[in-house]
Amino acid sequence: MIVGARVAGSVLASVLGRSGVRVLLVDSSHFPSDTLSTHFFRGAGALESFRRASALEAVLGIGAPRLTREYHFAGDRTEPEVTAPQDPGTVGFSLSVRRIELDATLARTAGQVPGVTLLERTRATRLLREGSRVVGVELRTGDRTRTVRCRYVVGADGRRSWVAQETAAPLYHFEAGHRGMYYAYFEEFTNPDGGRGGAEFSVNGDEMAYVFPSDHDLTCVALSLNAEAFAWCRADPQTRFEQRLARHPGLHRRVPRNRRVGRVQGIGPTPNFIRVPAGPGWALVGDAEMHQDPFTGRGIDNASGHAVRLASALAGLLRGSIAEAEAWVTYERERDAMSAASYYETVRVSRDLTAS
């Protein structure tokens, strides 16, 4: 049983289902549905995980441009340094896909895997226990309540994870958030060369701006702000977001006037934490077990990569080829080897970009 069918939950379900495991995947939302999130990911990160989940072609089919280069601006510079994409891996490029499209595609792909059942608009309301062990979940769909017994319950339900709360999953690192994020979508926003094949990054003081050419000919433009600047912008984000972009002249001069689609969206500083990721009959994956400031854009890479590693641990457990304690130690070790260094570096730098 997997609670949460966005990136981590759907990748986990797909990999497990293709290894012959029966999976019930539930989510309180109905897809397609959006979530507050920017959405840049790398070839060696999420795209490789999507390949492992046999979902890469479906994600590429959404139609976002392949990001084969990057443009970096510093301070008031208007001419960028042009570099290769970050961590391109064997895929060879990065990608940016809006979550309303990405999550629906991953959930639909998972639901088509033999052995995987996807239930939308279904909420987990109570864990079933035998002693200290989790053995199932009570689910509610509309007015209907039922109980489902299972070998393992996985919380892929985000940074406010219900499963983590119900299992009292211990924290072994916590630090309050230091930064907030605002973002919006624009039509007709092109890179400095007139195309749409590159991500852009602009750092000016304790502030960072991003440009991510995305699906449906839209471009995500985002700002990572310290708490003081976020509070200023929050007073009138629909106006002040574009005013703040003026601090990044390399990007701002190309903002297509009157071509913004929808409202400016934002999220304030949120805690950074790492949780113990598993216990008797339960496990956590994605933001439920590791969440960090989004300014480095590692969230989707980490969530999907952790899901692939958890799938390996769970498959071994269900085959009886590994003991539970050993499986959880291995999963935690592999998760931390993949992400802990970048997590701590992200937390450190997020306090003040000028000190990095």
Side-chain angles (χ1 to χ4, degrees):
M1 158 84 69
I2 301 171
V3 179
R6 294 191 183 270
V7 173
S10 288
V11 169
L12 176 61
S14 291
V15 177
L16 282 174
R18 293 181 187 282
S19 69
V21 176
R22 291 179 60 199
V23 180
L24 180 60
L25 176 63
V26 304
D27 200 286
S28 58
S29 296
H30 173 68
F31 297 102
S33 60
D34 210 354
T35 186
L36 279 173
S37 170
T38 55
H39 38 73
F40 172 74
F41 37 94
R42 298 154 180 86
L47 292 176
E48 176 61 23
S49 298
F50 299 160
R51 185 189 67 78
R52 295 280 299 274
S54 297
L56 179 57
E57 291 306 313
V59 171
L60 295 179
I62 296 170
R66 301 182 183 199
L67 305 178
T68 58
R69 57 194 174 277
E70 294 183 356
Y71 302 88
H72 296 267
F73 300 87
D76 293 331
R77 285 181 51 192
T78 58
E79 295 301 319
E81 176 187 5
V82 183
T83 68
Q86 303 172 40
D87 302 329
T90 58
V91 176
F93 52 86
S94 300
L95 209 66
S96 173
V97 181
R98 293 175 305 147
R99 294 295 299 273
I100 193 170
E101 295 285 344
L102 177 67
D103 295 356
T105 298
L106 293 174
R108 182 172 62 250
T109 300
Q112 292 170 349
V113 175
V116 176
T117 300
L118 171 63
L119 296 180
E120 302 174 56
R121 295 194 177 103
T122 298
R123 186 178 302 277
T125 56
R126 182 170 64 91
L127 290 179
L128 309 181
R129 290 183 169 88
E130 291 182 357
S132 62
R133 186 172 191 84
V134 173
V135 296
V137 180
E138 180 181 88
L139 299 175
R140 177 170 296 166
T141 306
D143 295 331
R144 180 189 176 201
T145 298
R146 59 171 172 157
T147 59
V148 177
R149 293 181 67 87
C150 55
R151 294 276 300 277
Y152 291 96
V153 174
V154 178
D157 49 344
R159 59 188 175 85
R160 295 191 179 95
S161 171
W162 174 84
V163 175
Q165 294 173 19
E166 292 296 303
T167 57
L171 289 164
Y172 65 78
H173 183 268
F174 179 91
E175 183 168 323
H178 303 287
R179 313 190 65 77
M181 180 79 73
Y182 278 107
Y183 65 98
Y185 295 100
F186 291 84
E187 296 176 322
E188 301 179 7
F189 197 128
T190 57
N191 292 142
D193 65 359
R196 300 186 70 242
E200 302 185 38
F201 304 89
S202 174
V203 180
N204 194 348
D206 189 20
E207 183 169 309
M208 193 166 185
Y210 317 77
V211 171
F212 299 138
S214 304
D215 56 283
H216 289 74
D217 295 320
L218 297 174
T219 296
C220 178
V221 181
L223 282 170
S224 173
L225 306 169
N226 62 30
E228 180 181 359
F230 181 84
W232 176 85
C233 199
R234 189 175 186 177
D236 183 9
Q238 308 310 315
T239 300
R240 293 186 175 184
F241 173 78
E242 292 190 38
Q243 292 176 0
R244 199 74 185 187
L245 280 175
R247 293 169 53 89
H248 302 270
L251 312 181
H252 182 253
R253 62 180 180 169
R254 286 178 285 115
V255 173
R257 305 304 172 197
N258 302 315
R259 302 304 296 175
R260 194 180 80 203
V261 177
R263 296 176 61 79
V264 175
Q265 303 180 77
I267 184 169
T270 55
N272 306 277
F273 60 80
I274 305 178
R275 287 186 172 115
V276 172
W282 61 270
L284 304 172
V285 71
D287 280 353
E289 39 91 35
M290 180 182 287
H291 178 266
Q292 64 202 55
D293 192 286
F295 92 92
T296 50
R298 293 285 176 182
I300 293 175
D301 287 335
N302 286 348
S304 56
H306 297 176
V308 170
R309 286 155 179 80
L310 179 57
S312 177
L314 284 168
L317 279 172
L318 294 168
R319 287 193 301 264
S321 61
I322 188 172
E324 185 173 88
E326 182 181 356
W328 292 158
V329 167
T330 299
Y331 169 46
E332 185 169 349
R333 182 174 62 242
E334 291 182 349
R335 177 199 71 172
D336 290 350
M338 173 190 166
S339 306
S342 64
Y343 167 88
Y344 287 111
E345 180 68 4
T346 294
V347 174
R348 182 189 70 81
V349 175
S350 71
R351 299 167 190 152
D352 185 353
L353 301 189
T354 65
S356 61

